[in-house]
Amino acid sequence: MNNQLLHSFDPLLPYQNTEDAKSFLQASYRSIALPNAEEAAYTNCPRFLYSLEHGTTFLSQSSHSPLAIQPVLIFYGLSHYIKACLLAVDPAYPATVHVLAHGLSTRKRKKQNYSFLKDEVRTQRHGLFSHFSDKMFHVKQLEGSKLNMNDLLAQIPELNQIFSFQTGEAPFHSLKKEENGCYRVTAQILDDYQMTQNRLSDFLSQKTNGSVAVEGAHENGLLIRISGERPAAPCRFNARNGQWMLSRRKTAEAFYPEILIYYALLYNLSMIARYETEWWYDLLKHAPGKEFSLIKQFLHISHHKIPLVIEQYLNERGS
């Protein structure tokens, strides 16, 4: 498949007709034992369809827009996709006005010598971020928790090469698939996590509810066993080279679903693009530091990766 065809491909199109959308919602509601699954699916079907379509419209428009406004368009595209996903697990969404806010906060004014990579956003008790984290992924957000931009960007596998070039240390190890279905990773991962093989296996198993664990040693590496069709974080798929990768960091962000990471990064970038235009345009016009390459590549990745991540979530709900 050539690049032009790949970029025009819409992975969410199968869900964007009334018959299939209604069937998908009904199956999802039955899986959570909703008593009136058929009625709820009928009621929510238009909102589900329109949320997907609106998200696609924002994403499509962003790819043809100047870089300066892309963060705003991509952020709202992702937000509408998330609202469609929420309807599959929370039929009453939005039940209150509390879930309509962004759910994150950032500094209103940037300090002198501001660095995006050192910047942070804070989680709030109410809002979309905490709501979809809980409802879609069962991740409970602590109010006031800080999310660092560099740590979040280091969890985007497609940025692995840029981080390696800039810092000399890649944040991910590649996973090589073996004939027995396991994945091989370099033994360096033990030093990265500062754990023995048994401790690493227990740690990964606990963090991923048993879906990722160390099977044993293999030549100069370890064999990682993955249960289910898709690896769970800290394993992530690099759409750029078609490889599964394992995060070398054991921070909380390493175990976040990618949708949370994209939302937090795009929220902050969209706020900067709207309210910190002097810093933003200085970055875009002069590319003074390492941040420019990371941010530009991240936005480029977002155009293509977000629909794939949303498709993965919906497919797993419908399976």
Side-chain angles (χ1 to χ4, degrees):
M1 184 179 290
N2 61 49
N3 287 337
Q4 185 177 359
L5 180 59
L6 179 63
H7 292 168
S8 64
F9 178 73
D10 183 0
L12 297 174
L13 198 57
Y15 292 94
Q16 296 186 47
N17 69 82
T18 301
E19 181 179 347
D20 289 330
K22 196 181 301 179
S23 296
F24 164 75
L25 289 174
Q26 191 168 317
S28 185
Y29 294 159
R30 284 175 175 165
S31 71
I32 59 175
L34 188 71
N36 58 335
E38 187 173 351
E39 180 184 349
Y42 177 83
T43 301
N44 286 335
C45 186
R47 282 198 296 150
F48 176 80
L49 286 171
Y50 297 151
S51 293
L52 285 181
E53 182 178 355
H54 212 38
T56 298
T57 300
F58 272 108
L59 262 292
S60 176
Q61 191 62 43
S62 70
S63 64
H64 302 292
S65 299
L67 189 62
I69 61 173
Q70 284 184 17
V72 180
L73 296 173
I74 302 173
F75 175 70
Y76 281 112
L78 174 59
S79 297
H80 284 289
Y81 279 152
I82 288 171
K83 291 172 183 178
C85 293
L86 272 172
L87 284 173
V89 292
D90 183 11
Y93 176 81
T96 70
V97 296
H98 294 303
V99 299
L100 296 178
H102 296 314
L104 295 171
S105 63
T106 184
R107 296 190 190 98
K108 298 304 179 185
R109 296 294 300 173
K110 306 305 181 187
K111 297 178 180 178
Q112 191 175 9
N113 300 320
Y114 166 77
S115 168
F116 177 78
L117 296 180
K118 296 178 181 178
D119 198 9
E120 297 171 334
V121 294
R122 288 177 178 267
T123 60
Q124 297 180 321
R125 179 182 301 179
H126 302 296
L128 183 59
F129 184 74
S130 59
H131 189 69
F132 83 77
S133 298
D134 179 21
K135 294 294 183 180
M136 290 171 57
F137 302 106
H138 310 295
V139 174
K140 298 287 187 181
Q141 296 293 340
L142 295 177
E143 182 182 4
S145 296
K146 297 178 181 179
L147 301 176
N148 172 265
M149 297 299 102
N150 186 77
D151 292 343
L152 293 175
L153 286 170
Q155 291 305 318
I156 305 294
E158 292 82 3
L159 296 178
N160 198 53
Q161 186 177 11
I162 294 182
F163 270 107
S164 179
F165 177 79
Q166 291 185 350
T167 67
E169 185 172 321
F172 283 90
H173 288 306
S174 296
L175 294 175
K176 310 290 186 181
K177 194 164 188 178
E178 298 292 313
E179 292 182 358
N180 61 1
C182 289
Y183 292 85
R184 178 162 48 91
V185 65
T186 173
Q188 174 65 36
I189 195 68
L190 296 176
D191 292 333
D192 295 333
Y193 280 62
Q194 296 183 319
M195 294 179 182
T196 64
Q197 180 179 315
N198 290 337
R199 176 70 186 100
L200 178 63
S201 185
D202 291 341
F203 176 76
L204 291 176
S205 181
Q206 179 185 9
K207 285 287 190 177
T208 63
N209 295 319
S211 65
V212 179
V214 178
E215 185 75 8
H218 178 74
E219 296 178 357
N220 295 324
L222 301 177
L223 287 177
I224 303 291
R225 175 179 52 79
I226 296 169
S227 305
E229 294 183 4
R230 294 178 179 271
C235 299
R236 303 191 190 278
F237 184 71
N238 186 335
R240 188 166 177 260
N241 61 16
Q243 279 190 315
W244 286 101
M245 311 188 84
L246 177 63
S247 175
R248 299 178 62 181
R249 305 183 180 193
K250 56 182 178 180
T251 58
E253 293 84 1
F255 298 91
Y256 275 4
E258 277 189 271
I259 296 177
L260 276 70
I261 294 169
Y262 274 91
Y263 185 90
L265 284 166
L266 288 166
Y267 164 78
N268 200 15
L269 283 171
S270 69
M271 294 294 283
I272 290 170
R274 281 180 284 176
Y275 302 115
E276 301 292 338
T277 50
E278 184 178 354
W279 183 87
W280 182 235
Y281 273 92
D282 184 60
L283 175 80
L284 298 181
K285 290 184 179 297
H286 304 293
K290 299 177 183 294
E291 301 171 315
F292 176 77
S293 299
L294 287 165
I295 291 172
K296 186 175 182 179
Q297 182 76 325
F298 168 70
L299 292 174
H300 177 73
I301 293 164
S302 299
H303 293 303
H304 310 295
K305 188 75 177 284
I306 286 174
L308 296 175
V309 174
I310 298 297
E311 178 202 23
Q312 177 186 339
Y313 179 82
L314 294 178
N315 287 349
E316 290 173 351
R317 285 299 309 169
S319 60

